Amino acid sequence: MVYIFMGVAALAAGATGYFGLGLTLAEAILMVVVVGSAAVVAQERVLRQRAERRLENSLEDLRNLLSTDAQAADVLGQRVNALAREDAGRRLDVVEADVSILGTVIRQVAEAVAEIEEKQAQPQPAPMQPEPIVEEPVRPRFSTAAIRRALEEDRIVHHLRPVMRLPQRRTYGYDLVARLVEDDGTVHEQAVFMPEDAGADLFRQIEAAGILESITLARRALATEQPPRLFAPFSCASLTDTRTVEKTVALLEANRAVSRYLTLRTPFADWIAMNSAQRAAAGQLVRTGVTFSLEQADNLRGAIGAMAADGVQSLRVDANIFLADPQHYTDFHTADIVKYLSRFDVELIATDISAENQLLELLEDGIALASGDHLSPAAPAWAQFLSDRPQATQRLRRVET
């Protein structure tokens, strides 16, 4: 149709020249040929441009398709490499950790059932009171052999000391505190029973048991309601040992449902002095969902942002030193310290609370997290863990009755 229109237009131009302009017949025919040729050339140019644009679009689509295929091949290659690097031993560690946790849960359930049966056998059971904790600060430290024997006999237990949110004094979390129980029931703090020349393997064994206990408690609480945060000790002795880090990472990977409720307590001085290998180990632990709480902090002038980026969730200061000499920690005014730390989502916890007036001073400075014997001493995990949980306590009482 386009070419017919162009031919008619050329004939019309020739007729106009012949009849209107007085051209001869040969000139009119030449005019028809020239006008028709010009129209055909213009139309071919337009068609060629359209074909070129269509070809360019097709090449662009093909280039995008090839790029997508290359990306898919790269992802497939990464997955193949990951499968090739997969360590079967790590999966066995995960299975071993799950079996260990299952054994611990079964043992604790058996102990709870035995306690319930014993209470049912009594005519008038008295209210359950926590066992008094007898501390002997002047007692000589135990020998390394005695500590190892206590570990083998399962006489090193972890009690819970609440970390409370002020001013309501609601439980924010629990610190796991290692204690040694003698055959006569005497209980000793870790600072008392640990010998000064204790090997790093003893600390690693005690801390590994604390992490396992934390996961067990968190799983138990998760079955009833939202579990609190649990602060388990994890010193540089554990961070330095590659085997311990690998087992801990495998254990936390197998329990990601509760690992976000766990925080590892590490001495501030150990964290500052960590080398590259220890920082890499800490990064592996953070990737499982846990965070770090640096205790015995003696300086808040450091790079808080870098600590937060490395997984530090809270800093702990001694309340007595902080209130007596705040310049020991930072150049900020005490009322501005918490605001400064909150910029990096880092919380400040005051420890070793010994008097009521300290709580009032801490509240004036905006510090809302505190722990210490004045607030609540450490107690056995079973009673302490259910004390602030009415639903769980009611279920336990219904079972007992």
Side-chain angles (χ1 to χ4, degrees):
M1 295 295 296
V2 174
Y3 288 103
I4 291 175
F5 176 79
M6 290 189 297
V8 172
L11 291 174
T16 301
Y18 180 80
F19 293 104
L21 300 177
L23 300 177
T24 62
L25 180 61
E27 293 173 340
I29 293 173
L30 181 60
M31 185 175 182
V32 170
V33 173
V34 171
V35 171
S37 300
V40 170
V41 170
Q43 179 64 18
E44 289 295 329
R45 178 182 176 85
V46 171
L47 293 178
R48 185 174 67 255
Q49 290 176 349
R50 289 180 181 177
E52 289 175 354
R53 285 196 297 269
R54 191 179 299 111
L55 181 59
E56 289 176 357
N57 293 334
S58 299
L59 291 175
E60 182 67 23
D61 294 339
L62 181 60
R63 186 161 49 249
N64 294 335
L65 182 60
L66 291 176
S67 176
T68 303
D69 291 340
Q71 293 177 359
D74 186 38
V75 172
L76 181 60
Q78 293 177 0
R79 291 184 178 180
V80 171
N81 293 334
L83 291 176
R85 293 192 302 266
E86 187 68 29
D87 186 9
R90 184 175 179 179
R91 294 190 174 183
L92 292 177
D93 288 339
V94 172
V95 175
E96 180 183 354
D98 283 339
V99 172
S100 178
I101 291 177
L102 181 60
T104 303
V105 172
I106 292 174
R107 185 192 64 189
Q108 293 178 347
V109 170
E111 292 174 355
V113 172
E115 291 178 2
I116 294 173
E117 291 176 352
E118 182 179 352
K119 290 182 179 181
Q120 288 178 341
Q122 298 177 358
Q124 293 182 351
M128 184 175 57
Q129 298 292 337
E131 296 180 0
I133 298 174
V134 180
E135 297 189 11
E136 301 178 7
V138 297
R139 182 186 179 92
R141 296 174 183 266
F142 289 72
S143 65
T144 303
I147 302 300
R148 297 186 188 279
R149 185 167 59 255
L151 282 170
E152 295 174 356
E153 297 173 358
D154 201 20
R155 289 190 291 108
I156 293 183
V157 299
H158 284 83
H159 290 178
L160 299 181
R161 176 184 292 115
V163 177
M164 294 188 176
R165 184 177 293 279
L166 306 176
Q168 299 86 356
R169 302 195 184 190
R170 294 179 180 175
T171 301
Y172 169 77
Y174 292 96
D175 287 339
L176 271 79
V177 180
R179 288 176 167 175
L180 186 145
V181 181
E182 294 193 67
D183 295 334
D184 59 358
T186 306
V187 180
H188 300 283
E189 298 283 352
Q190 183 171 343
V192 176
F193 71 77
M194 283 298 287
E196 296 180 356
D197 58 346
D201 61 320
L202 287 179
F203 287 96
R204 288 195 290 266
Q205 293 181 50
I206 294 175
E207 292 169 358
I211 292 177
L212 184 62
E213 181 75 8
S214 300
I215 293 175
T216 303
L217 292 173
R219 277 190 165 184
R220 181 194 301 168
L222 191 63
T224 56
E225 55 182 275
Q226 189 77 1
R229 183 159 296 278
L230 296 171
F231 298 89
F234 200 81
S235 65
C236 192
S238 296
L239 276 174
T240 306
D241 187 67
T242 305
R243 183 62 175 169
T244 299
V245 172
E246 290 178 352
K247 285 189 174 182
T248 305
V249 169
L251 181 62
L252 294 173
E253 286 285 358
N255 295 274
R256 274 191 172 270
V258 297
S259 62
R260 64 180 182 273
Y261 302 111
L262 304 183
T263 297
L264 304 181
R265 293 195 337 261
T266 300
F268 183 85
D270 288 356
W271 183 273
I272 297 299
M274 283 196 309
N275 54 33
S276 58
Q278 292 167 344
R279 293 193 181 278
Q284 292 179 353
L285 294 168
V286 170
R287 284 191 288 274
T288 65
V290 302
T291 54
F292 281 89
S293 178
L294 305 186
E295 54 186 359
Q296 303 169 6
D298 59 359
N299 185 0
L300 301 180
R301 301 179 180 88
I304 305 299
M307 294 180 184
D310 290 338
V312 175
Q313 181 260 345
S314 60
L315 296 173
R316 295 169 173 245
V317 295
D318 188 296
N320 300 281
I321 302 176
F322 181 82
L323 295 175
D325 185 18
Q327 289 76 20
H328 173 78
Y329 291 98
T330 180
D331 299 328
F332 284 102
H333 189 275
T334 54
D336 298 328
I337 295 177
V338 174
K339 296 178 182 178
Y340 173 69
L341 295 179
S342 63
R343 296 179 183 177
F344 308 100
D345 294 329
V346 175
E347 296 178 310
L348 187 64
I349 302 176
T351 62
D352 300 324
I353 302 295
S354 58
E356 189 69 22
N357 64 320
Q358 292 180 336
L359 299 178
L360 299 178
E361 296 183 40
L362 291 174
L363 284 174
E364 290 178 356
D365 294 332
I367 300 176
L369 296 177
S371 68
D373 290 342
H374 177 75
L375 287 172
S376 180
W382 177 255
Q384 184 92 355
F385 204 71
L386 293 181
S387 60
D388 293 335
R389 287 161 180 72
Q391 297 180 359
T393 305
Q394 291 173 6
R395 292 193 184 98
L396 180 59
R397 290 175 178 172
R398 285 198 295 269
V399 172
E400 293 176 353
T401 56

